[in-house]
Amino acid sequence: MSEVKLPTMVDVARRAGVAPKTVSRVVNNEINVSDSVREKVQLAIGELGYRPNRAAQSLMNKRSDVIGIVAYGSPLYGPSMSLLGLTEAVKHHGLLPSVITTEANDPAEIHNAISRLIDMGVDGVLVAEPVIDMDFDEDARFAKTPIVTVGGRSLQKSATVSTSIRSGVHQVVEHLLSLDHETVHHLAGAPNWYATSARISAWQEALEQSGRDVPPVVFGDWTPSSGYEAGLVLLAERPTAVFVANDHMAIGLLKACHEMRIRVPEDLSVVGFDDLPEATYLTVPLTTVRVDVAQNMARAVDDLLRQVDRFEELINTTPQHNAELMIRETTARRAR
């Protein structure tokens, strides 16, 4: 049986009537090729079924074409959607994601995961970890490798990409105060999470700017069961409006309201955060904050790739993205 000969760059050049160097420029997406020539080369590539030798290209460019991702291995909606968004965005650029998930969610494990990826020779690392304390001792490898953090405090010489938590929370507080509620209580997420502290800070700031009292915070752990348990404690204070740090805990709070015969929204207005797919299908559709996670994760990957290509410096910057309040049926004007 004769061996099948795969088409080469020279074959593509002959078919397109151009020099092999021109084919190389098209394959590598270089800009100094006219549209007509690029189209001719791409047509020849399609006709011949040519596939570039990515390994050779990586050696030539001194790249691995692999992007490392360190992420909290959790079934919770926020972390899981962040990881999915990052991997899809990396693949969109034709690169290979190499993922290490952490279980303990502690700084030492995160540090080790980043170190392993750097030792593997990845082009850059995306860190999607929720913990606040991520300050590590100076490490020369960290300094030489582009690192972008998502939804947590940044490492040295890295950019932090996060959703506009402040904007979303301010919209929540302003909405509830506009409905004549004197203040807004807060059911927060797990302690030591960046998302928890960011939501608390924004909620407190919004209330203080409006001259309202800031009630004590009640903590959950992001799960519906914790929303239920913490909700029983919170509802004993008879609040009229509650901002819940995520939709899953809001669902637990709604169950507590049902058992305590507190009507939503007649007796209590409730607002969540995340806009889960099921939020609109609850018996009382949930008012919540929608965040475009996929867009935010794509922005994080773009920021990292700009560092890899050295197109621009991205040190100690914090790009913010819009969040949108989705007003549904769990909020209403305070009854007098």
Side-chain angles (χ1 to χ4, degrees):
M1 181 180 294
S2 60
E3 184 178 351
V4 177
K5 183 177 181 293
L6 296 176
T8 66
M9 192 174 292
V10 173
D11 296 327
V12 174
R14 287 173 182 162
R15 174 66 68 93
V18 299
K21 181 62 176 176
T22 302
V23 177
S24 176
R25 287 173 178 155
V26 172
V27 169
N28 289 297
N29 293 317
E30 296 181 20
I31 60 175
N32 54 337
V33 180
S34 68
D35 291 341
S36 60
V37 171
R38 187 181 300 276
E39 183 178 352
K40 190 187 302 184
V41 171
Q42 289 172 339
L43 179 62
I45 288 173
E47 291 174 347
L48 294 174
Y50 170 70
R51 293 292 182 269
N53 187 332
R54 293 298 181 190
Q57 287 180 322
S58 295
L59 287 173
M60 185 180 301
N61 297 330
K62 296 182 179 179
R63 301 259 196 85
S64 67
D65 287 342
V66 178
I67 298 298
I69 300 175
V70 178
Y72 180 40
S74 167
L76 292 171
Y77 181 81
S80 62
M81 291 304 294
S82 294
L83 176 56
L84 176 63
L86 289 174
T87 55
E88 290 302 312
V90 168
K91 290 190 288 186
H92 175 76
H93 287 280
L95 303 173
L96 179 68
S98 180
V99 180
I100 297 179
T101 58
T102 63
E103 295 182 6
N105 195 26
D106 67 69
E109 188 174 356
I110 297 168
H111 184 282
N112 291 336
I114 297 172
S115 297
R116 286 175 57 192
L117 289 168
I118 292 174
D119 289 342
M120 289 167 54
V122 298
D123 295 328
V125 180
L126 295 153
V127 182
E129 293 281 351
V131 294
I132 296 173
D133 186 9
M134 292 174 59
D135 289 332
F136 304 127
D137 294 333
E138 188 65 28
D139 189 316
R141 294 170 302 168
F142 283 32
K144 293 179 181 178
T145 303
I147 300 174
V148 166
T149 62
V150 183
R153 196 160 87 189
S154 63
L155 301 165
Q156 66 272 14
K157 298 186 179 180
S158 69
T160 301
V161 178
S162 67
T163 60
S164 184
I165 291 176
R166 181 177 181 275
S167 171
V169 174
H170 274 246
Q171 290 178 59
V172 170
V173 173
E174 290 165 7
H175 169 63
L176 292 170
L177 295 183
S178 74
L179 296 175
D180 293 336
H181 296 281
E182 292 183 358
T183 191
V184 178
H185 287 68
H186 184 39
L187 173 48
N192 197 39
W193 281 50
Y194 172 81
T196 299
S197 63
R199 285 163 170 77
I200 291 174
S201 177
W203 161 77
Q204 182 175 345
E205 178 186 62
L207 287 176
E208 289 175 345
Q209 288 180 353
S210 298
R212 306 303 177 96
D213 291 336
V214 180
V217 176
V218 177
F219 289 91
D221 65 7
W222 305 112
T223 62
S225 60
S226 76
Y228 170 78
E229 295 293 341
L232 294 175
V233 175
L234 180 60
L235 294 175
E237 301 297 322
R238 294 297 175 181
T240 66
V242 178
F243 163 50
V244 189
N246 76 339
D247 289 351
H248 276 140
M249 288 195 300
I251 291 171
L253 174 65
L254 292 176
K255 175 177 172 57
C257 289
H258 176 72
E259 291 186 359
M260 296 180 69
R261 297 186 179 181
I262 295 174
R263 299 172 301 167
V264 176
E266 294 86 353
D267 302 323
L268 176 70
S269 287
V270 177
V271 182
F273 201 103
D274 282 340
D275 195 24
L276 294 175
E278 54 266 37
T280 57
Y281 296 97
L282 299 176
T283 302
V284 183
L286 181 64
T287 297
T288 184
V289 175
R290 173 180 293 174
V291 175
D292 191 336
V293 177
Q295 181 188 51
N296 292 340
M297 297 306 102
R299 176 64 184 273
V301 173
D302 289 346
D303 286 348
L304 180 66
L305 295 183
R306 279 196 289 271
Q307 289 193 56
V308 170
D309 290 335
R310 293 175 172 80
F311 289 155
E312 61 181 272
E313 290 294 324
L314 288 167
I315 298 175
N316 296 326
T317 61
T318 308
Q320 296 292 323
H321 306 281
N322 291 330
E324 181 182 4
L325 179 64
M326 310 302 296
I327 300 175
R328 299 194 179 107
E329 297 177 28
T330 57
T331 56
R333 190 166 296 278
R334 179 191 176 197
R336 294 293 182 178

